[in-house]
Amino acid sequence: QVQLVESGGGSVQSGGSLRLSCTASGVTYSYYCLGWFRQAPGKEREGVAAIGRSGNTDYVDSVKGRFTISRDNSKRTLYLQMNSLKPEDTAMYYCAADGSTDCYDGNYWKPGYEFPHWGQGTQVTVSS
């Protein structure tokens, strides 16, 4: 059974930084595509960043240049380094994983595709 546990959330002021972590168990980690998503109160969940098996990364426009996704397969851990945080980054952040062939570079944000495995989330609050 795939289990994902996020950590590293907190409260920071605008312009600050946080690093989120997501540790996995129950998976052959290197085979999995991984992603970070977020959901703000009253809004739909949105993708933030994803990283494939080969290490290729993909970001949504709103975080490009500010956020960096990375993975350490030896530690089964996914990271999201968030710099220059803005109040609009305030949300619950979730990590997600997919070990199937449905997950591949360029497919992460396409309609009809969804990561099957999710963590419980970690809260990020950015004050102005």
Side-chain angles (χ1 to χ4, degrees), residues 84-100:
S84 301
L85 282 161
K86 305 175 181 180
E88 51 263 44
D89 295 318
T90 295
M92 184 71 78
Y93 282 71
Y94 300 90
C95 66
D98 187 356
S100 77

Side-chain angles (χ1 to χ4, degrees), residues 49-120:
I51 185 166
R53 300 171 181 86
S54 63
N56 290 339
T57 58
D58 194 4
Y59 299 90
V60 296
D61 288 344
S62 60
V63 307
K64 284 181 179 177
R66 301 188 298 123
F67 291 10
T68 302
I69 189 171
S70 61
R71 62 191 295 169
D72 185 335
N73 291 341
S74 68
K75 296 181 179 179
R76 296 187 174 189
T77 301
L78 175 70
Y79 302 100
L80 184 68
Q81 178 66 44
M82 304 186 295
N83 298 329
S84 301
L85 282 161
K86 305 175 181 180
E88 51 263 44
D89 295 318
T90 295
M92 184 71 78
Y93 282 71
Y94 300 90
C95 66
D98 187 356
S100 77
T101 55
D102 291 337
C103 183
Y104 53 89
D105 295 349
N107 193 46
Y108 308 123
W109 322 125
K110 288 186 177 180
Y113 171 73
E114 183 173 350
F115 283 82
H117 307 293
W118 294 84
Q120 293 300 306

